[in-house]
Coordinates of all heavy atoms in Angstrom, one line a residue:
L799 N -9.4 11.8 84.9 CA -8.7 10.8 85.7 C -7.7 10.1 84.8 O -7.8 10.0 83.6 CB -9.8 9.7 86.2 CG -10.9 10.2 87.0 CD1 -11.9 9.1 87.4 CD2 -10.4 10.9 88.3
W932 N -8.3 -0.4 88.5 CA -8.5 1.0 88.3 C -9.0 1.3 86.9 O -9.9 2.2 86.7 CB -7.2 1.8 88.5 CG -6.9 2.2 90.0 CD1 -5.8 1.9 90.7 CD2 -7.8 2.9 90.9 NE1 -5.9 2.4 91.9 CE2 -7.1 3.0 92.1 CE3 -9.1 3.4 90.8 CZ2 -7.6 3.7 93.2 CZ3 -9.6 4.1 91.9 CH2 -8.9 4.2 93.1
A935 N -12.6 0.5 86.6 CA -13.5 1.4 87.3 C -13.6 2.7 86.5 O -14.7 3.3 86.4 CB -12.8 1.7 88.7
V936 N -12.6 3.2 85.9 CA -12.6 4.4 85.1 C -13.5 4.2 83.9 O -14.3 5.1 83.5 CB -11.2 4.9 84.7 CG1 -11.3 6.0 83.7 CG2 -10.5 5.4 85.9
L939 N -17.2 4.5 84.3 CA -17.7 5.9 84.4 C -17.9 6.5 83.0 O -18.2 7.6 82.9 CB -16.7 6.7 85.2 CG -16.6 6.4 86.7 CD1 -15.5 7.2 87.3 CD2 -17.9 6.5 87.4
L966 N -4.4 6.0 91.3 CA -5.3 6.8 90.4 C -4.9 8.3 90.5 O -4.9 8.8 91.6 CB -6.8 6.6 90.8 CG -7.8 7.4 89.9 CD1 -7.9 6.7 88.5 CD2 -9.2 7.4 90.6
E989 N -15.6 14.3 92.5 CA -16.7 13.4 92.5 C -16.4 12.2 91.6 O -16.7 11.0 92.1 CB -18.0 14.1 91.9 CG -19.2 13.3 91.8 CD -20.1 13.4 93.1 OE1 -19.8 14.2 93.9 OE2 -21.0 12.6 93.2
L990 N -15.8 12.4 90.5 CA -15.5 11.2 89.6 C -14.4 10.3 90.3 O -14.5 9.1 90.2 CB -14.9 11.7 88.3 CG -16.0 12.3 87.3 CD1 -15.3 12.9 86.1 CD2 -17.0 11.2 86.9
A991 N -13.5 10.9 91.0 CA -12.5 10.1 91.7 C -13.2 9.2 92.8 O -12.9 8.0 93.0 CB -11.5 11.0 92.4
I992 N -14.1 9.8 93.5 CA -14.9 9.1 94.5 C -15.7 7.9 93.9 O -15.7 6.8 94.4 CB -15.8 10.0 95.3 CG1 -15.0 11.0 96.1 CG2 -16.7 9.2 96.3 CD1 -15.8 12.3 96.6
R993 N -16.3 8.2 92.8 CA -17.1 7.2 92.1 C -16.2 6.1 91.5 O -16.6 4.9 91.5 CB -18.0 7.8 91.0 CG -19.0 8.9 91.5 CD -19.9 8.3 92.5 NE -20.9 9.3 93.0 CZ -21.7 9.1 94.0 NH1 -21.6 8.0 94.8 NH2 -22.6 10.0 94.4
A994 N -15.1 6.5 91.1 CA -14.1 5.4 90.6 C -13.7 4.5 91.7 O -13.6 3.3 91.5 CB -12.9 6.1 89.9
F995 N -13.4 5.1 92.9 CA -13.0 4.3 94.0 C -14.2 3.3 94.4 O -13.9 2.1 94.7 CB -12.8 5.2 95.2 CG -11.9 4.6 96.3 CD1 -10.6 5.0 96.5 CD2 -12.5 3.7 97.2 CE1 -9.8 4.4 97.5 CE2 -11.7 3.2 98.2 CZ -10.4 3.5 98.4
E996 N -15.4 3.8 94.4 CA -16.5 2.9 94.6 C -16.6 1.8 93.6 O -16.9 0.6 94.0 CB -17.8 3.7 94.6 CG -18.0 4.7 95.8 CD -19.2 5.5 95.7 OE1 -19.7 5.8 94.6 OE2 -19.7 6.0 96.7
K997 N -16.4 2.1 92.3 CA -16.5 1.1 91.3 C -15.4 0.1 91.5 O -15.6 -1.1 91.3 CB -16.3 1.8 89.9 CG -17.4 2.7 89.5 CD -18.7 2.0 89.2 CE -19.7 3.0 88.6 NZ -21.0 2.4 88.4
L998 N -14.2 0.5 91.9 CA -13.1 -0.4 92.1 C -13.4 -1.4 93.2 O -13.2 -2.6 93.1 CB -11.8 0.3 92.4 CG -10.6 -0.5 92.7 CD1 -9.3 0.1 92.1 CD2 -10.4 -0.7 94.2
L999 N -14.0 -0.9 94.3 CA -14.3 -1.8 95.5 C -15.4 -2.8 95.0 O -15.4 -3.9 95.5 CB -14.9 -0.9 96.6 CG -14.0 0.1 97.3 CD1 -14.7 0.8 98.4 CD2 -12.7 -0.7 97.8

Side-chain angles (χ1 to χ4, degrees):
L799 304 176
W932 275 128
V936 170
L939 296 174
L966 178 74
E989 179 91 10
L990 288 171
I992 295 162
R993 298 306 182 190
F995 200 105
E996 291 176 332
K997 297 288 186 185
L998 179 142
L999 295 180

